[in-house]
PDB file of all heavy atoms in Angstrom:
ATOM      1  N   ILE A 993     -42.821 -19.823  41.282  1.00  0.00           N
ATOM      2  CA  ILE A 993     -41.514 -19.391  41.796  1.00  0.00           C
ATOM      3  C   ILE A 993     -40.376 -19.599  40.803  1.00  0.00           C
ATOM      4  O   ILE A 993     -39.230 -19.327  41.100  1.00  0.00           O
ATOM      5  CB  ILE A 993     -41.186 -20.062  43.159  1.00  0.00           C
ATOM      6  CG1 ILE A 993     -41.401 -21.571  43.096  1.00  0.00           C
ATOM      7  CG2 ILE A 993     -41.975 -19.457  44.277  1.00  0.00           C
ATOM      8  CD1 ILE A 993     -41.094 -22.292  44.400  1.00  0.00           C
ATOM      9  N   GLY A 994     -40.706 -20.072  39.581  1.00  0.00           N
ATOM     10  CA  GLY A 994     -39.708 -20.151  38.514  1.00  0.00           C
ATOM     11  C   GLY A 994     -38.845 -21.393  38.575  1.00  0.00           C
ATOM     12  O   GLY A 994     -39.265 -22.452  39.055  1.00  0.00           O
ATOM     13  N   ARG A 995     -37.622 -21.244  38.126  1.00  0.00           N
ATOM     14  CA  ARG A 995     -36.705 -22.383  37.991  1.00  0.00           C
ATOM     15  C   ARG A 995     -36.231 -22.861  39.366  1.00  0.00           C
ATOM     16  O   ARG A 995     -35.906 -22.056  40.239  1.00  0.00           O
ATOM     17  CB  ARG A 995     -35.510 -21.944  37.159  1.00  0.00           C
ATOM     18  CG  ARG A 995     -34.658 -23.091  36.666  1.00  0.00           C
ATOM     19  CD  ARG A 995     -33.685 -22.552  35.666  1.00  0.00           C
ATOM     20  NE  ARG A 995     -32.979 -23.609  34.961  1.00  0.00           N
ATOM     21  CZ  ARG A 995     -32.288 -23.398  33.865  1.00  0.00           C
ATOM     22  NH1 ARG A 995     -32.223 -22.204  33.341  1.00  0.00           N
ATOM     23  NH2 ARG A 995     -31.652 -24.375  33.274  1.00  0.00           N
ATOM     24  N   LEU A 996     -36.163 -24.191  39.513  1.00  0.00           N
ATOM     25  CA  LEU A 996     -35.733 -24.778  40.780  1.00  0.00           C
ATOM     26  C   LEU A 996     -34.515 -25.654  40.532  1.00  0.00           C
ATOM     27  O   LEU A 996     -34.449 -26.373  39.534  1.00  0.00           O
ATOM     28  CB  LEU A 996     -36.852 -25.654  41.367  1.00  0.00           C
ATOM     29  CG  LEU A 996     -38.217 -24.987  41.593  1.00  0.00           C
ATOM     30  CD1 LEU A 996     -39.259 -26.035  41.951  1.00  0.00           C
ATOM     31  CD2 LEU A 996     -38.128 -23.940  42.685  1.00  0.00           C
ATOM     32  N   GLY A 997     -33.546 -25.597  41.433  1.00  0.00           N
ATOM     33  CA  GLY A 997     -32.385 -26.483  41.366  1.00  0.00           C
ATOM     34  C   GLY A 997     -32.528 -27.561  42.428  1.00  0.00           C
ATOM     35  O   GLY A 997     -32.862 -27.260  43.580  1.00  0.00           O
ATOM     36  N   ILE A 998     -32.279 -28.820  42.061  1.00  0.00           N
ATOM     37  CA  ILE A 998     -32.406 -29.927  43.014  1.00  0.00           C
ATOM     38  C   ILE A 998     -31.047 -30.594  43.147  1.00  0.00           C
ATOM     39  O   ILE A 998     -30.371 -30.854  42.141  1.00  0.00           O
ATOM     40  CB  ILE A 998     -33.447 -30.965  42.523  1.00  0.00           C
ATOM     41  CG1 ILE A 998     -34.789 -30.286  42.252  1.00  0.00           C
ATOM     42  CG2 ILE A 998     -33.614 -32.098  43.526  1.00  0.00           C
ATOM     43  CD1 ILE A 998     -35.794 -31.147  41.495  1.00  0.00           C
ATOM     44  N   GLY A 999     -30.633 -30.866  44.366  1.00  0.00           N
ATOM     45  CA  GLY A 999     -29.344 -31.525  44.562  1.00  0.00           C
ATOM     46  C   GLY A 999     -29.105 -31.855  46.009  1.00  0.00           C
ATOM     47  O   GLY A 999     -29.931 -31.584  46.881  1.00  0.00           O
ATOM     48  N   ARG A1000     -27.943 -32.455  46.271  1.00  0.00           N
ATOM     49  CA  ARG A1000     -27.611 -32.844  47.638  1.00  0.00           C
ATOM     50  C   ARG A1000     -26.657 -31.833  48.262  1.00  0.00           C
ATOM     51  O   ARG A1000     -25.751 -31.332  47.590  1.00  0.00           O
ATOM     52  CB  ARG A1000     -26.956 -34.223  47.629  1.00  0.00           C
ATOM     53  CG  ARG A1000     -26.355 -34.539  48.988  1.00  0.00           C
ATOM     54  CD  ARG A1000     -26.201 -35.982  49.282  1.00  0.00           C
ATOM     55  NE  ARG A1000     -25.241 -36.662  48.446  1.00  0.00           N
ATOM     56  CZ  ARG A1000     -24.890 -37.928  48.670  1.00  0.00           C
ATOM     57  NH1 ARG A1000     -25.436 -38.602  49.637  1.00  0.00           N
ATOM     58  NH2 ARG A1000     -24.019 -38.509  47.892  1.00  0.00           N
ATOM     59  N   ILE A1001     -26.856 -31.573  49.535  1.00  0.00           N
ATOM     60  CA  ILE A1001     -25.885 -30.755  50.284  1.00  0.00           C
ATOM     61  C   ILE A1001     -24.779 -31.706  50.731  1.00  0.00           C
ATOM     62  O   ILE A1001     -25.015 -32.598  51.559  1.00  0.00           O
ATOM     63  CB  ILE A1001     -26.536 -30.070  51.509  1.00  0.00           C
ATOM     64  CG1 ILE A1001     -27.693 -29.170  51.063  1.00  0.00           C
ATOM     65  CG2 ILE A1001     -25.489 -29.279  52.285  1.00  0.00           C
ATOM     66  CD1 ILE A1001     -28.443 -28.514  52.207  1.00  0.00           C
ATOM     67  N   TYR A1002     -23.598 -31.558  50.152  1.00  0.00           N
ATOM     68  CA  TYR A1002     -22.485 -32.451  50.502  1.00  0.00           C
ATOM     69  C   TYR A1002     -21.916 -32.095  51.871  1.00  0.00           C
ATOM     70  O   TYR A1002     -21.491 -32.967  52.622  1.00  0.00           O
ATOM     71  CB  TYR A1002     -21.397 -32.386  49.429  1.00  0.00           C
ATOM     72  CG  TYR A1002     -21.787 -33.133  48.177  1.00  0.00           C
ATOM     73  CD1 TYR A1002     -22.527 -32.531  47.169  1.00  0.00           C
ATOM     74  CD2 TYR A1002     -21.462 -34.478  48.029  1.00  0.00           C
ATOM     75  CE1 TYR A1002     -22.919 -33.235  46.029  1.00  0.00           C
ATOM     76  CE2 TYR A1002     -21.846 -35.192  46.897  1.00  0.00           C
ATOM     77  CZ  TYR A1002     -22.583 -34.563  45.906  1.00  0.00           C
ATOM     78  OH  TYR A1002     -22.967 -35.277  44.798  1.00  0.00           O
ATOM     79  N   GLN A1003     -21.874 -30.779  52.158  1.00  0.00           N
ATOM     80  CA  GLN A1003     -21.425 -30.369  53.494  1.00  0.00           C
ATOM     81  C   GLN A1003     -21.984 -28.981  53.805  1.00  0.00           C
ATOM     82  O   GLN A1003     -22.396 -28.245  52.916  1.00  0.00           O
ATOM     83  CB  GLN A1003     -19.899 -30.366  53.574  1.00  0.00           C
ATOM     84  CG  GLN A1003     -19.216 -29.439  52.573  1.00  0.00           C
ATOM     85  CD  GLN A1003     -17.700 -29.514  52.660  1.00  0.00           C
ATOM     86  OE1 GLN A1003     -17.107 -30.577  52.632  1.00  0.00           O
ATOM     87  NE2 GLN A1003     -17.065 -28.356  52.782  1.00  0.00           N
ATOM     88  N   GLY A1004     -22.026 -28.673  55.106  1.00  0.00           N
ATOM     89  CA  GLY A1004     -22.529 -27.369  55.524  1.00  0.00           C
ATOM     90  C   GLY A1004     -24.040 -27.342  55.696  1.00  0.00           C
ATOM     91  O   GLY A1004     -24.712 -28.374  55.649  1.00  0.00           O
ATOM     92  N   VAL A1005     -24.559 -26.112  55.887  1.00  0.00           N
ATOM     93  CA  VAL A1005     -25.991 -25.889  56.090  1.00  0.00           C
ATOM     94  C   VAL A1005     -26.434 -24.817  55.098  1.00  0.00           C
ATOM     95  O   VAL A1005     -25.733 -23.823  54.889  1.00  0.00           O
ATOM     96  CB  VAL A1005     -26.275 -25.417  57.542  1.00  0.00           C
ATOM     97  CG1 VAL A1005     -27.736 -25.058  57.723  1.00  0.00           C
ATOM     98  CG2 VAL A1005     -25.862 -26.489  58.541  1.00  0.00           C
ATOM     99  N   LEU A1006     -27.587 -25.011  54.475  1.00  0.00           N
ATOM    100  CA  LEU A1006     -28.127 -24.021  53.530  1.00  0.00           C
ATOM    101  C   LEU A1006     -29.379 -23.408  54.136  1.00  0.00           C
ATOM    102  O   LEU A1006     -30.257 -24.121  54.626  1.00  0.00           O
ATOM    103  CB  LEU A1006     -28.467 -24.697  52.196  1.00  0.00           C
ATOM    104  CG  LEU A1006     -29.044 -23.778  51.109  1.00  0.00           C
ATOM    105  CD1 LEU A1006     -28.005 -22.759  50.646  1.00  0.00           C
ATOM    106  CD2 LEU A1006     -29.543 -24.587  49.909  1.00  0.00           C
ATOM    107  N   ASN A1007     -29.445 -22.075  54.108  1.00  0.00           N
ATOM    108  CA  ASN A1007     -30.596 -21.368  54.662  1.00  0.00           C
ATOM    109  C   ASN A1007     -31.402 -20.671  53.566  1.00  0.00           C
ATOM    110  O   ASN A1007     -30.861 -20.332  52.511  1.00  0.00           O
ATOM    111  CB  ASN A1007     -30.127 -20.295  55.665  1.00  0.00           C
ATOM    112  CG  ASN A1007     -29.413 -20.910  56.843  1.00  0.00           C
ATOM    113  OD1 ASN A1007     -30.028 -21.611  57.641  1.00  0.00           O
ATOM    114  ND2 ASN A1007     -28.106 -20.680  56.942  1.00  0.00           N
ATOM    115  N   ALA A1008     -32.684 -20.452  53.848  1.00  0.00           N
ATOM    116  CA  ALA A1008     -33.492 -19.605  52.957  1.00  0.00           C
ATOM    117  C   ALA A1008     -32.979 -18.178  53.100  1.00  0.00           C
ATOM    118  O   ALA A1008     -32.472 -17.789  54.160  1.00  0.00           O
ATOM    119  CB  ALA A1008     -34.956 -19.702  53.362  1.00  0.00           C
ATOM    120  N   GLN A1009     -33.082 -17.384  52.028  1.00  0.00           N
ATOM    121  CA  GLN A1009     -32.613 -15.988  52.022  1.00  0.00           C
ATOM    122  C   GLN A1009     -31.104 -15.879  52.272  1.00  0.00           C
ATOM    123  O   GLN A1009     -30.632 -14.905  52.826  1.00  0.00           O
ATOM    124  CB  GLN A1009     -33.360 -15.152  53.089  1.00  0.00           C
ATOM    125  CG  GLN A1009     -34.868 -15.183  52.980  1.00  0.00           C
ATOM    126  CD  GLN A1009     -35.371 -14.485  51.714  1.00  0.00           C
ATOM    127  OE1 GLN A1009     -34.721 -13.606  51.172  1.00  0.00           O
ATOM    128  NE2 GLN A1009     -36.527 -14.921  51.235  1.00  0.00           N
ATOM    129  N   GLN A1010     -30.345 -16.909  51.864  1.00  0.00           N
ATOM    130  CA  GLN A1010     -28.895 -16.890  52.069  1.00  0.00           C
ATOM    131  C   GLN A1010     -28.185 -16.467  50.791  1.00  0.00           C
ATOM    132  O   GLN A1010     -28.543 -16.900  49.700  1.00  0.00           O
ATOM    133  CB  GLN A1010     -28.414 -18.288  52.492  1.00  0.00           C
ATOM    134  CG  GLN A1010     -26.895 -18.376  52.702  1.00  0.00           C
ATOM    135  CD  GLN A1010     -26.459 -19.768  53.158  1.00  0.00           C
ATOM    136  OE1 GLN A1010     -27.270 -20.566  53.606  1.00  0.00           O
ATOM    137  NE2 GLN A1010     -25.177 -20.067  53.027  1.00  0.00           N
ATOM    138  N   SER A1011     -27.180 -15.636  50.932  1.00  0.00           N
ATOM    139  CA  SER A1011     -26.366 -15.236  49.783  1.00  0.00           C
ATOM    140  C   SER A1011     -25.345 -16.339  49.504  1.00  0.00           C
ATOM    141  O   SER A1011     -24.625 -16.769  50.411  1.00  0.00           O
ATOM    142  CB  SER A1011     -25.652 -13.923  50.078  1.00  0.00           C
ATOM    143  OG  SER A1011     -24.815 -13.576  48.995  1.00  0.00           O
ATOM    144  N   VAL A1012     -25.332 -16.840  48.248  1.00  0.00           N
ATOM    145  CA  VAL A1012     -24.418 -17.933  47.911  1.00  0.00           C
ATOM    146  C   VAL A1012     -23.623 -17.581  46.652  1.00  0.00           C
ATOM    147  O   VAL A1012     -24.047 -16.754  45.849  1.00  0.00           O
ATOM    148  CB  VAL A1012     -25.193 -19.254  47.656  1.00  0.00           C
ATOM    149  CG1 VAL A1012     -25.779 -19.809  48.930  1.00  0.00           C
ATOM    150  CG2 VAL A1012     -26.273 -19.085  46.585  1.00  0.00           C
ATOM    151  N   VAL A1013     -22.457 -18.219  46.530  1.00  0.00           N
ATOM    152  CA  VAL A1013     -21.660 -18.095  45.301  1.00  0.00           C
ATOM    153  C   VAL A1013     -21.946 -19.344  44.460  1.00  0.00           C
ATOM    154  O   VAL A1013     -21.839 -20.467  44.953  1.00  0.00           O
ATOM    155  CB  VAL A1013     -20.154 -17.998  45.622  1.00  0.00           C
ATOM    156  CG1 VAL A1013     -19.339 -18.003  44.331  1.00  0.00           C
ATOM    157  CG2 VAL A1013     -19.858 -16.748  46.421  1.00  0.00           C
ATOM    158  N   ILE A1014     -22.333 -19.124  43.209  1.00  0.00           N
ATOM    159  CA  ILE A1014     -22.631 -20.247  42.310  1.00  0.00           C
ATOM    160  C   ILE A1014     -21.442 -20.370  41.365  1.00  0.00           C
ATOM    161  O   ILE A1014     -21.080 -19.398  40.696  1.00  0.00           O
ATOM    162  CB  ILE A1014     -23.924 -19.986  41.510  1.00  0.00           C
ATOM    163  CG1 ILE A1014     -25.085 -19.747  42.471  1.00  0.00           C
ATOM    164  CG2 ILE A1014     -24.272 -21.151  40.607  1.00  0.00           C
ATOM    165  CD1 ILE A1014     -25.858 -18.515  42.187  1.00  0.00           C
ATOM    166  N   CYS A1015     -20.831 -21.561  41.322  1.00  0.00           N
ATOM    167  CA  CYS A1015     -19.657 -21.697  40.458  1.00  0.00           C
ATOM    168  C   CYS A1015     -19.731 -22.985  39.651  1.00  0.00           C
ATOM    169  O   CYS A1015     -20.362 -23.958  40.068  1.00  0.00           O
ATOM    170  CB  CYS A1015     -18.369 -21.654  41.281  1.00  0.00           C
ATOM    171  SG  CYS A1015     -18.391 -22.698  42.724  1.00  0.00           S
ATOM    172  N   ASP A1016     -19.093 -22.961  38.474  1.00  0.00           N
ATOM    173  CA  ASP A1016     -19.028 -24.172  37.665  1.00  0.00           C
ATOM    174  C   ASP A1016     -17.593 -24.683  37.662  1.00  0.00           C
ATOM    175  O   ASP A1016     -16.697 -24.072  38.248  1.00  0.00           O
ATOM    176  CB  ASP A1016     -19.537 -23.912  36.235  1.00  0.00           C
ATOM    177  CG  ASP A1016     -18.738 -22.854  35.502  1.00  0.00           C
ATOM    178  OD1 ASP A1016     -17.546 -22.670  35.843  1.00  0.00           O
ATOM    179  OD2 ASP A1016     -19.288 -22.200  34.585  1.00  0.00           O
ATOM    180  N   SER A1017     -17.354 -25.804  36.993  1.00  0.00           N
ATOM    181  CA  SER A1017     -16.033 -26.439  37.039  1.00  0.00           C
ATOM    182  C   SER A1017     -14.985 -25.652  36.240  1.00  0.00           C
ATOM    183  O   SER A1017     -13.806 -25.943  36.314  1.00  0.00           O
ATOM    184  CB  SER A1017     -16.123 -27.868  36.508  1.00  0.00           C
ATOM    185  OG  SER A1017     -16.658 -27.851  35.207  1.00  0.00           O
ATOM    186  N   PHE A1018     -15.444 -24.652  35.440  1.00  0.00           N
ATOM    187  CA  PHE A1018     -14.493 -23.845  34.653  1.00  0.00           C
ATOM    188  C   PHE A1018     -13.994 -22.634  35.443  1.00  0.00           C
ATOM    189  O   PHE A1018     -13.245 -21.811  34.938  1.00  0.00           O
ATOM    190  CB  PHE A1018     -15.159 -23.358  33.359  1.00  0.00           C
ATOM    191  CG  PHE A1018     -15.663 -24.477  32.502  1.00  0.00           C
ATOM    192  CD1 PHE A1018     -17.027 -24.690  32.338  1.00  0.00           C
ATOM    193  CD2 PHE A1018     -14.782 -25.341  31.873  1.00  0.00           C
ATOM    194  CE1 PHE A1018     -17.500 -25.730  31.555  1.00  0.00           C
ATOM    195  CE2 PHE A1018     -15.244 -26.393  31.085  1.00  0.00           C
ATOM    196  CZ  PHE A1018     -16.598 -26.594  30.930  1.00  0.00           C
ATOM    197  N   GLY A1019     -14.459 -22.485  36.679  1.00  0.00           N
ATOM    198  CA  GLY A1019     -14.006 -21.374  37.513  1.00  0.00           C
ATOM    199  C   GLY A1019     -14.844 -20.110  37.399  1.00  0.00           C
ATOM    200  O   GLY A1019     -14.506 -19.083  37.974  1.00  0.00           O
ATOM    201  N   HIS A1020     -15.963 -20.142  36.647  1.00  0.00           N
ATOM    202  CA  HIS A1020     -16.835 -18.971  36.564  1.00  0.00           C
ATOM    203  C   HIS A1020     -17.663 -18.878  37.842  1.00  0.00           C
ATOM    204  O   HIS A1020     -18.201 -19.884  38.314  1.00  0.00           O
ATOM    205  CB  HIS A1020     -17.774 -19.078  35.352  1.00  0.00           C
ATOM    206  CG  HIS A1020     -17.037 -19.275  34.059  1.00  0.00           C
ATOM    207  ND1 HIS A1020     -17.369 -20.251  33.138  1.00  0.00           N
ATOM    208  CD2 HIS A1020     -15.959 -18.627  33.544  1.00  0.00           C
ATOM    209  CE1 HIS A1020     -16.538 -20.191  32.114  1.00  0.00           C
ATOM    210  NE2 HIS A1020     -15.673 -19.224  32.341  1.00  0.00           N
ATOM    211  N   GLU A1021     -17.774 -17.661  38.382  1.00  0.00           N
ATOM    212  CA  GLU A1021     -18.513 -17.480  39.639  1.00  0.00           C
ATOM    213  C   GLU A1021     -19.514 -16.343  39.501  1.00  0.00           C
ATOM    214  O   GLU A1021     -19.300 -15.398  38.753  1.00  0.00           O
ATOM    215  CB  GLU A1021     -17.549 -17.136  40.787  1.00  0.00           C
ATOM    216  CG  GLU A1021     -16.573 -18.238  41.124  1.00  0.00           C
ATOM    217  CD  GLU A1021     -15.577 -17.798  42.210  1.00  0.00           C
ATOM    218  OE1 GLU A1021     -15.819 -16.754  42.865  1.00  0.00           O
ATOM    219  OE2 GLU A1021     -14.556 -18.478  42.391  1.00  0.00           O
ATOM    220  N   ARG A1022     -20.615 -16.446  40.239  1.00  0.00           N
ATOM    221  CA  ARG A1022     -21.571 -15.341  40.349  1.00  0.00           C
ATOM    222  C   ARG A1022     -22.266 -15.485  41.697  1.00  0.00           C
ATOM    223  O   ARG A1022     -22.276 -16.563  42.308  1.00  0.00           O
ATOM    224  CB  ARG A1022     -22.577 -15.360  39.195  1.00  0.00           C
ATOM    225  CG  ARG A1022     -23.442 -16.587  39.124  1.00  0.00           C
ATOM    226  CD  ARG A1022     -24.244 -16.618  37.814  1.00  0.00           C
ATOM    227  NE  ARG A1022     -25.254 -17.658  37.806  1.00  0.00           N
ATOM    228  CZ  ARG A1022     -25.019 -18.953  37.630  1.00  0.00           C
ATOM    229  NH1 ARG A1022     -23.773 -19.379  37.438  1.00  0.00           N
ATOM    230  NH2 ARG A1022     -26.001 -19.838  37.639  1.00  0.00           N
ATOM    231  N   THR A1023     -22.833 -14.384  42.168  1.00  0.00           N
ATOM    232  CA  THR A1023     -23.476 -14.391  43.488  1.00  0.00           C
ATOM    233  C   THR A1023     -24.978 -14.211  43.330  1.00  0.00           C
ATOM    234  O   THR A1023     -25.440 -13.457  42.463  1.00  0.00           O
ATOM    235  CB  THR A1023     -22.903 -13.250  44.363  1.00  0.00           C
ATOM    236  OG1 THR A1023     -21.478 -13.386  44.382  1.00  0.00           O
ATOM    237  CG2 THR A1023     -23.423 -13.325  45.791  1.00  0.00           C
ATOM    238  N   ASN A1024     -25.733 -14.911  44.165  1.00  0.00           N
ATOM    239  CA  ASN A1024     -27.192 -14.774  44.160  1.00  0.00           C
ATOM    240  C   ASN A1024     -27.719 -15.138  45.541  1.00  0.00           C
ATOM    241  O   ASN A1024     -26.973 -15.622  46.393  1.00  0.00           O
ATOM    242  CB  ASN A1024     -27.811 -15.678  43.081  1.00  0.00           C
ATOM    243  CG  ASN A1024     -29.072 -15.066  42.491  1.00  0.00           C
ATOM    244  OD1 ASN A1024     -29.914 -14.541  43.214  1.00  0.00           O
ATOM    245  ND2 ASN A1024     -29.204 -15.119  41.174  1.00  0.00           N
ATOM    246  N   THR A1025     -29.007 -14.910  45.742  1.00  0.00           N
ATOM    247  CA  THR A1025     -29.609 -15.196  47.049  1.00  0.00           C
ATOM    248  C   THR A1025     -30.754 -16.188  46.876  1.00  0.00           C
ATOM    249  O   THR A1025     -31.605 -16.016  46.005  1.00  0.00           O
ATOM    250  CB  THR A1025     -30.153 -13.892  47.694  1.00  0.00           C
ATOM    251  OG1 THR A1025     -29.080 -12.959  47.769  1.00  0.00           O
ATOM    252  CG2 THR A1025     -30.698 -14.164  49.084  1.00  0.00           C
ATOM    253  N   THR A1026     -30.757 -17.214  47.717  1.00  0.00           N
ATOM    254  CA  THR A1026     -31.858 -18.185  47.668  1.00  0.00           C
ATOM    255  C   THR A1026     -33.121 -17.509  48.224  1.00  0.00           C
ATOM    256  O   THR A1026     -33.043 -16.769  49.195  1.00  0.00           O
ATOM    257  CB  THR A1026     -31.544 -19.432  48.517  1.00  0.00           C
ATOM    258  OG1 THR A1026     -31.384 -19.026  49.887  1.00  0.00           O
ATOM    259  CG2 THR A1026     -30.273 -20.109  48.049  1.00  0.00           C
ATOM    260  N   SER A1027     -34.257 -17.756  47.595  1.00  0.00           N
ATOM    261  CA  SER A1027     -35.507 -17.185  48.129  1.00  0.00           C
ATOM    262  C   SER A1027     -36.170 -18.184  49.076  1.00  0.00           C
ATOM    263  O   SER A1027     -36.547 -17.858  50.195  1.00  0.00           O
ATOM    264  CB  SER A1027     -36.462 -16.816  46.984  1.00  0.00           C
ATOM    265  OG  SER A1027     -36.787 -17.952  46.229  1.00  0.00           O
ATOM    266  N   GLN A1028     -36.295 -19.436  48.623  1.00  0.00           N
ATOM    267  CA  GLN A1028     -36.879 -20.479  49.469  1.00  0.00           C
ATOM    268  C   GLN A1028     -36.093 -21.761  49.284  1.00  0.00           C
ATOM    269  O   GLN A1028     -35.472 -21.981  48.246  1.00  0.00           O
ATOM    270  CB  GLN A1028     -38.331 -20.764  49.035  1.00  0.00           C
ATOM    271  CG  GLN A1028     -39.329 -19.696  49.390  1.00  0.00           C
ATOM    272  CD  GLN A1028     -40.697 -20.056  48.805  1.00  0.00           C
ATOM    273  OE1 GLN A1028     -40.980 -19.771  47.659  1.00  0.00           O
ATOM    274  NE2 GLN A1028     -41.547 -20.706  49.585  1.00  0.00           N
ATOM    275  N   ILE A1029     -36.117 -22.610  50.316  1.00  0.00           N
ATOM    276  CA  ILE A1029     -35.562 -23.960  50.146  1.00  0.00           C
ATOM    277  C   ILE A1029     -36.609 -24.964  50.637  1.00  0.00           C
ATOM    278  O   ILE A1029     -37.393 -24.675  51.542  1.00  0.00           O
ATOM    279  CB  ILE A1029     -34.207 -24.155  50.867  1.00  0.00           C
ATOM    280  CG1 ILE A1029     -34.311 -23.836  52.350  1.00  0.00           C
ATOM    281  CG2 ILE A1029     -33.120 -23.348  50.220  1.00  0.00           C
ATOM    282  CD1 ILE A1029     -33.055 -24.219  53.123  1.00  0.00           C
TER     283      ILE A1029
END
């Protein structure tokens, strides 16, 4: 399944097949969809 990101959910709920905005501290944003969690 390729690259995996590991981390803590600080708030909210994360779903499989969810569209999310990925952003860094410099303000760059992009959109992607989680396949599995």
